[in-house]
Amino acid sequence: MGDELIPVFMKIGLTEQKAKETLKNKNLSKSLSEVVECAGKETAGDLAHSGNLLYHVASKLKPQKFHYMPLLVKYVMANKLDSELRLNAAMDYLTNQ
C-alpha cells in the first residue's frame, strides 16, 4: 500500500496533503481504501459529495464491527445517512448489537 492510494483517496474529496497524511496511518489507509471500493460499487457517480461521511466510517468504525461497513456505506451513498450526527447514531446502534 503506497502512493497508488493517493488518487483513490482524492476521489472522495481529500486534498493531496490529507491523502498523504492518511497514508501514514496503515490501519486507516486499509479501512478507507475498502470503504472507497465499496462506495464505488454502490454508485457510478461522484464520491466526493459523500466523502466526509465515508472518511468518518473508515476512521470511526471499530475493527471488530467493520463487518457493518458495507451497510453503512450503502446508506451513506443512498443519502439515508446524510449527516455526521445520523451516521454516528447508526454506528452507535450497530456497535451495541
Side-chain angles (χ1 to χ4, degrees):
M1 241 182 269
D3 290 343
E4 70 274 0
L5 289 177
I6 292 175
V8 173
F9 295 164
M10 290 175 70
K11 280 185 194 177
I12 64 165
L14 295 184
T15 63
E16 186 174 352
Q17 181 62 34
K18 182 69 173 175
K20 287 179 180 179
E21 288 173 20
T22 302
L23 275 178
K24 293 176 185 176
N25 183 330
K26 299 296 182 199
N27 291 332
L28 179 57
S29 293
K30 182 179 183 295
S31 297
L32 187 57
S33 65
E34 289 177 24
V35 166
V36 172
E37 181 182 335
C38 186
K41 292 177 184 174
E42 291 295 325
T43 183
D46 186 25
L47 301 178
H49 73 281
S50 300
N52 243 8
L53 296 174
L54 295 173
Y55 188 88
H56 194 72
V57 169
S59 63
K60 300 295 182 194
L61 192 61
K62 301 203 182 309
Q64 62 269 27
K65 298 294 183 175
F66 206 73
H67 60 277
Y68 289 119
M69 180 271 296
L71 178 66
L72 291 167
V73 169
K74 177 180 179 180
Y75 280 98
V76 166
M77 297 312 295
N79 287 324
K80 292 181 179 178
L81 294 174
D82 57 358
S83 70
E84 206 170 294
L85 184 65
R86 288 182 178 167
L87 182 56
N88 283 334
M91 288 194 303
D92 287 345
Y93 176 79
L94 291 173
T95 54
N96 290 323
Q97 295 303 310

